[in-house]
Amino acid sequence: MQRKPLVAANWKMNGTLSSVNPLLDDILQELDESDSADVVICPPYVYIPVCAAKLADSRIQWGSQNVSEKSEGAYTGEISCDMLKDFSCRFAIIGHSERRTLYGETNTLIAAKFAQLVENDLIPILCVGELLEERESNRTEAVIEEQLNTVINAVGIHHFSDAVIAYEPVWAIGTGKTASPEQAQEVHAFIRDIIRQHDERLATTIRILYGGSVKPGNAKELFSMVDVDGGLIGGASLQAGDFISICHAMR
Ligand code: PGA
């Protein structure tokens, strides 16, 4: 495969120092150096310095779960790209469905965040995905096309050269319901086709991750699909053993 697999952990708002330290130690100890997948950990903002300190000499990279679309100023509670770069973040998740549905983030705002990241040489992990009612009313493709094209039209397809896309069907996130490998493949192929309409070559190199109740027991099957280049892992990334098994499933 010409695309390097990637497994990213999204810890969401979980953990405290007392759990974050041993979790990172266990992941470091158990991760096989010979594994080929890129591994990225996205902790809550305040634990990014802990990741930076612990992971600095490892092959694991780290990032944030969100970022401000502004570069600096009077934006109480926000975190800028410069701040993330101070702690050597390489990645930032944007457009997660929890940000879209619980915090009202729109495609336009997410496009502005994407632009801010690429201007700062940070790698966006852009999440897209449909709600259950959208799937049930056959609108999955239309929803994803709009989520993706809003960003592409705002920033230009050339800014996607290092970006990562994560397909996360909202009905599968944290619910224990996983998309079947065939359902995932169908949407991943659709996403790759959208990219192809803008840039033929990029369509072959861009990494598309699957997220939504990925577990050690289903990771291998999902990752075996031709257009699935890895995973964005929520709940299962909070247990070192489970997360490592998922990384190994990418072999
Ligand atoms: P989950 O979350 O693995 O707990 O379903 C995935 C995500 O929201 O990124």
Side-chain angles (χ1 to χ4, degrees), residues 103-234:
Y103 299 97
E105 293 197 5
T106 61
N107 287 330
T108 311
L109 175 66
I110 293 158
K113 291 182 180 212
F114 189 108
Q116 189 69 218
L117 287 171
V118 294
E119 271 167 35
N120 281 281
D121 285 325
L122 290 164
I123 302 172
I125 301 177
L126 171 63
C127 301
V128 297
E130 80 287 3
L131 303 169
L132 183 59
E133 61 263 33
E134 291 166 340
R135 173 162 284 262
E136 284 173 344
S137 57
N138 275 327
R139 283 187 292 139
T140 299
E141 294 192 348
V143 167
I144 287 172
E145 191 160 23
E146 189 179 354
Q147 289 172 337
L148 215 47
N149 275 337
T150 306
V151 181
I152 295 172
N153 294 335
V155 304
I157 192 70
H158 58 288
H159 279 312
F160 272 70
S161 56
D162 291 322
V164 176
I165 296 171
Y167 168 55
E168 299 208 310
V170 182
W171 46 273
I173 294 177
T175 57
K177 281 187 207 157
T178 319
S180 67
E182 295 72 25
Q183 281 173 321
Q185 169 55 31
E186 198 181 352
V187 179
H188 281 234
F190 176 72
I191 290 170
R192 212 176 285 291
D193 275 342
I194 295 177
I195 301 294
R196 188 169 292 117
Q197 286 162 20
H198 296 272
D199 185 331
E200 187 111 4
R201 200 193 63 85
L202 181 58
T204 65
T205 58
I206 195 163
R207 294 184 287 189
I208 308 174
L209 314 182
Y210 170 79
S213 299
V214 178
K215 304 266 181 303
N218 59 25
K220 215 176 177 72
E221 258 193 314
L222 286 160
F223 295 168
S224 69
M225 297 287 116
V226 285
D227 287 302
V228 177
D229 304 313
L232 180 54
I233 320 299

Side-chain angles (χ1 to χ4, degrees), residues 18-137:
S18 65
S19 61
V20 162
N21 275 305
L23 177 54
L24 289 170
D25 288 338
D26 290 348
I27 290 171
L28 278 169
Q29 205 176 349
E30 291 177 40
L31 189 72
D32 191 335
E33 286 302 314
S34 65
D35 271 2
S36 58
D38 282 340
V39 178
V40 177
I41 294 181
C42 299
Y45 284 131
V46 294
Y47 300 126
I48 288 173
V50 183
C51 285
K54 281 207 184 272
L55 304 177
D57 297 326
S58 78
R59 63 180 197 81
I60 303 176
Q61 296 175 285
W62 55 95
S64 63
Q65 300 169 16
N66 189 12
V67 70
S68 174
E69 77 282 14
K70 310 285 189 192
S71 46
E72 66 177 334
Y75 303 105
T76 302
E78 292 293 289
I79 295 287
S80 72
C81 288
D82 277 344
M83 295 171 189
L84 297 179
K85 289 199 290 187
D86 268 346
F87 292 93
S88 307
C89 285
R90 288 290 297 124
F91 292 82
I93 297 169
I94 52 168
H96 190 279
S97 67
E98 286 148 20
R99 300 297 319 170
R100 292 175 188 265
T101 56
L102 304 174
Y103 299 97
E105 293 197 5
T106 61
N107 287 330
T108 311
L109 175 66
I110 293 158
K113 291 182 180 212
F114 189 108
Q116 189 69 218
L117 287 171
V118 294
E119 271 167 35
N120 281 281
D121 285 325
L122 290 164
I123 302 172
I125 301 177
L126 171 63
C127 301
V128 297
E130 80 287 3
L131 303 169
L132 183 59
E133 61 263 33
E134 291 166 340
R135 173 162 284 262
E136 284 173 344
S137 57

